[in-house]
């Protein structure tokens, strides 16, 4: 085996995974497949040039932390409150059913009763990393089926924390030990959640309001906030040791709660676009490292049994999820898409198996650990294709599933913007134009990156989105594709090009340009009108000049009204009569 340094390990992983990801995209395959195959090829199972190390394990753990942090940033409590009850009703029986099925399958194969119990406990979760990564890539994380899947995954993560706490304590002496571990974990999760919610109300709003316009500082403080929760979660056993309490809280749970606190702020959507690239980097390392942790002999000891169990589990998971989602009265499409997304065995199943193998005395051996790992890898690899092509699959099978359609299905909370006015950026032209636009439209959405502007826009009764319009998440939430009228006061050609590309052909689009060359370009792309501020200034000056010589009183009233508007500290002051013009 070739030996290289830690820095070289990381370099090889990043370069190999990047090329594998590019190849996967060129072949129309999910990037996760490329990352997992990279780990197989360069790891002990393949050519063996990279082995697990402290740095790769740390980066992999950070990958899951960043993934859960990004997920937390997307979870506004107001948007998921109506789903909490059905998620609880689905997740508990789902885990019980799949756990029993996993136990039964293992018991029919050459595994002992104790090993079958661990296998059942390891296979009952779905993969947080796979599901969230695929939902994010497809833009479905905030869809109804995406929110349901994410909620179930979080419920499963809580159960994982509890099981890991029990396994970390070794073989329990009785039901009392299990109950104690369960109680401690629930108290820790509740306390951390309460701290996150309290911070989102009393600490973070004033902090982020002060720094939101400094994009670099804003990003660094947000990441620091994540690492505070990661540190506390990782060291909770050390913190509680002086009082004689043994406890365990997953880093992933802490990361999610850190994101959840930020999600309740108006700056969360902008932060999503900034965290995404960093998350992708660490998640890439995570999927590569999954295949670095085992030897070929252990991985393939039960390869035939692993194939049988993997196929049976994927079928069983779809049936169980479909039945439970249908029971909770979700529409047919949501039920199908939500079920298809949860077919795989989780990376946390491998973590549970590792904990069971490292227990003193161990519950399972390295060959059983390899079996569980192989089942997880196979189901992950296959399930990404089901998620990638879930809509096409639904169209194929919908005629056969109509008998399960609900007459009065659960609907998502709230609706997206449609047939509305979208205003990008705030400036002097916007300030005057909005008054005219509100006479024609009931729904006006303003996107801006100035905190004071956002506060004033919201105070004036309009919806405001804090963030940079170049981020896809901001554009999606602003409803670019569904707007009836779009007015961009940005002179950045890149922004306006993106806007015109994504806007519907039926949408009326007014944009600003700094030069005549840019104006020509924007007209070629389909702009209905390109605003040239210097030209408007010339027109306004000519009108004033004519009034000065023909109607001095009208001129003086117009100048006085303009000065009052310019000197006002309000972003939306009451517009006064400017002689010769209509009142706004």
């Amino acid at each position: 085996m070739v030996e290289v340094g830690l820095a070289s390990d990381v370099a090889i992983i990043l370069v190999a995974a990047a090329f594998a990801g590019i190849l996967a995209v060129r072949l129309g395959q999910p990037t996760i497949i490329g990352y997992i195959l990279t780990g197989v090829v360069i790891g002990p199972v393949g050519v063996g040039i990279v082995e697990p190390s402290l740095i790769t394990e740390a980066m992999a753990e950070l990958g899951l932390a960043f993934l859960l942090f990004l997920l937390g940033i997307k979870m506004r409590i107001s948007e998921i409150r109506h789903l909490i009850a059905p998620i609880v009703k689905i997740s508990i029986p789902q885990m019980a059913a799949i756990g029993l099925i996993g136990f039964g399958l293992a018991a029919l194969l050459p595994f002992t009763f104790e090993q079958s119990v661990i296998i059942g406990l390891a296979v009952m979760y779905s993969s947080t990393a796979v599901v969230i990564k695929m939902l994010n890539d497809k833009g479905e994380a905030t869809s109804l089926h995406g929110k349901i899947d994410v909620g179930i995954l979080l419920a499963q993560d809580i159960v994982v924390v509890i099981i890991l706490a029990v396994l970390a304590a070794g073989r329990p002496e009785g039901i009392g030990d299990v109950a104690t571990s369960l109680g401690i974990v629930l108290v820790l999760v509740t306390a951390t959640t309460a701290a996150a919610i309290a911070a989102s109300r009393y600490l973070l709003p004033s902090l982020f309001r002060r720094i939101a316009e400094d994009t670099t500082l804003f990003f660094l403080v947000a990441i620091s906030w994540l690492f505070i929760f990661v540190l506390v979660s990782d060291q909770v056993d050390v913190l509680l040791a002086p009082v004689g309490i043994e406890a365990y809280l997953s880093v992933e749970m802490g990361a999610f709660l850190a994101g959840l606190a930020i999600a309740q702020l108006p700056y969360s959507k902008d932060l999503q676009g900034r965290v995404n690239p960093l998350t992708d980097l660490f998640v890439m390392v995570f999927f590569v490292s999954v295949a670095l942790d085992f030897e070929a002999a252990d991985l393939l000891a039960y390869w035939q049994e692993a194939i049988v169990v993997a196929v049976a589990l994927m079928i069983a998971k779809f049936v169980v999820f479909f039945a439970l989602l249908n029971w909770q009265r979700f529409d047919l499409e949501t039920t199908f898409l939500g079920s298809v997304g949860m077919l795989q065995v989780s990376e946390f199943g491998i973590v549970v198996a590792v904990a069971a193998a490292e227990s003193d005395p161990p519950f399972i051996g390295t060959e059983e650990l390899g079996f569980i790992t192989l089942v997880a890898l196979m189901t992950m690899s296959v399930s990404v294709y089901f998620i990638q092509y879930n809509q096409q699959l639904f169209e194929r099978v919908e005629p056969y599933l109509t008998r399960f359609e609900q007459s009065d299905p659960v609907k998502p909370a709230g609706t997206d913007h449609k047939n509305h006015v979208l205003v990008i950026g705030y400036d002097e032209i916007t300030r005057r134009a909005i008054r005219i636009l509100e006479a024609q439209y009931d729904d006006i959405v303003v996107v801006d990156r100035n905190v004071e502007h956002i506060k004033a826009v919201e105070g004036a009764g309009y919806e405001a989105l804090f963030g940079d319009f170049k981020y896809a998440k901001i554009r999606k939430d602003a409803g670019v594709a569904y707007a009836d009228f779009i007015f961009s006061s940005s002179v950045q050609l890149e922004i306006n090009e993106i806007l015109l590309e994504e806007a519907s052909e039926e949408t009326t689009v007014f944009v600003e340009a700094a030069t005549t060359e840019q104006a020509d370009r924007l007209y070629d792309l389909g702009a209905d009108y390109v605003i040239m501020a210097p030209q408007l200034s010339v027109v306004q000056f000519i009108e004033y000049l004519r009034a000065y010589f023909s109607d001095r009183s009208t001129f003086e009233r117009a100048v006085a009204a303009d000065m009052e508007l310019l000197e006002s500290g309000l972003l939306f002051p009451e517009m006064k009569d400017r002689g010769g013009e209509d009142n706004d």
Side-chain angles (χ1 to χ4, degrees), residues 127-433:
S127 174
T128 302
V130 169
V131 174
I132 296 176
K133 180 69 167 63
M134 293 300 295
L135 288 175
N136 282 337
D137 288 350
K138 297 192 66 182
E140 296 179 358
T142 55
S143 64
L144 180 54
H145 74 270
K147 290 177 181 178
I148 294 169
D149 283 353
V150 166
I152 294 172
L153 288 168
L154 291 174
Q156 292 178 352
D157 289 348
I158 294 174
V159 174
V160 169
V161 170
I162 296 169
I163 290 175
L164 289 175
V166 173
L167 291 174
R171 293 178 184 272
E173 296 180 0
I175 193 66
D177 286 351
V178 176
T180 300
S181 298
L182 174 62
I184 292 173
V185 170
L186 291 178
V187 168
L188 286 175
V189 171
T190 302
T192 310
T193 303
I197 294 175
S200 72
R201 292 182 179 177
Y202 305 112
L203 173 63
L204 296 182
S206 59
L207 173 62
F208 280 104
R209 189 181 305 118
R210 296 173 184 271
I211 63 172
E213 293 180 42
D214 186 331
T215 56
T216 302
L217 183 60
F218 173 66
F219 176 75
L220 291 175
V221 171
I223 297 301
S224 299
W225 176 253
L226 160 65
F227 280 108
I228 289 173
F229 275 73
V230 167
L231 177 63
V232 171
S233 300
D234 188 52
Q235 298 295 314
V236 69
D237 56 334
V238 177
L239 297 174
L240 296 178
V243 295
I245 297 177
E246 292 186 9
Y248 175 87
L249 190 61
S250 73
V251 166
E252 293 75 29
M253 181 61 67
F256 171 77
L257 293 175
L260 187 68
I262 295 178
Q264 315 314 310
L265 307 177
Y267 322 108
S268 61
K269 296 184 186 300
D270 185 66
L271 184 60
Q272 290 174 32
R274 303 182 187 281
V275 172
N276 259 320
L278 192 59
T279 301
D280 288 342
L281 172 66
F282 284 107
V283 167
M284 179 174 68
V285 177
F286 167 78
F287 282 110
V288 173
S289 69
V290 166
L292 297 179
D293 291 327
F294 42 76
E295 297 291 340
D298 294 333
L299 182 67
L300 301 176
Y302 294 107
W303 69 269
Q304 292 173 313
E305 292 85 350
I307 293 174
V308 172
V309 171
V311 173
L313 277 176
M314 293 180 72
I315 295 172
K317 286 198 172 194
F318 177 81
V319 172
V320 170
F321 273 108
F322 190 92
L324 291 172
L325 286 166
N326 188 257
W327 170 52
Q328 288 300 303
R329 304 190 63 80
F330 289 104
D331 66 272
L332 185 59
E333 183 177 8
T334 297
T335 298
F336 180 85
L337 298 180
S339 303
V340 162
M342 306 290 276
L343 302 182
Q344 67 292 124
V345 173
S346 173
E347 63 281 352
F348 289 130
I350 301 174
V351 174
V352 168
V354 170
E358 295 178 349
S359 179
D360 186 21
F363 290 93
I364 60 174
T366 56
E367 291 184 347
E368 290 74 32
L369 173 59
F371 165 79
I372 294 172
T373 301
L374 187 56
V375 170
L377 285 176
M378 287 191 293
T379 55
M380 283 183 191
S381 300
V382 174
S383 69
V384 295
Y385 291 100
F386 283 94
I387 301 173
Q388 181 74 23
Y389 303 107
N390 55 6
Q391 292 287 349
Q392 293 92 324
L393 285 171
F394 177 70
E395 292 173 3
R396 291 286 186 90
V397 303
E398 183 180 12
Y400 306 101
L401 299 176
T402 52
R403 73 185 73 175
F404 301 107
E405 183 65 85
Q406 299 289 346
S407 58
D408 185 24
V410 174
K411 300 291 185 183
T415 56
D416 294 330
H417 297 288
K418 290 190 177 181
N419 300 321
H420 60 293
V421 171
L422 172 59
V423 177
I424 297 100
Y426 170 84
D427 60 12
E428 197 63 35
I429 299 176
T430 303
R431 180 161 70 162
R432 304 188 186 203

Side-chain angles (χ1 to χ4, degrees), residues 48-124:
I49 60 174
V50 176
E51 289 186 311
S53 64
L54 290 177
I55 190 168
T56 58
E57 291 174 359
M59 291 183 70
E61 189 169 17
L62 284 175
L64 280 181
F66 272 102
L67 197 61
L68 269 294
F69 179 61
L70 182 61
L71 171 63
I73 295 175
K74 296 182 177 183
M75 290 290 126
R76 289 183 179 269
I77 294 177
S78 60
E79 296 177 355
I80 62 173
R81 185 179 290 115
H82 69 296
L83 294 175
I84 293 176
I87 284 172
V88 172
K89 293 177 181 177
I90 292 169
S91 56
I92 294 176
Q94 172 270 317
M95 283 184 282
I98 299 300
L100 288 173
I101 292 172
F103 168 81
L105 290 170
L108 293 174
L109 297 171
F111 297 106
T112 66
F113 177 84
E114 192 171 77
Q115 292 169 346
S116 299
V117 170
I118 297 300
I119 291 171
L121 291 176
V123 302
M124 64 185 186

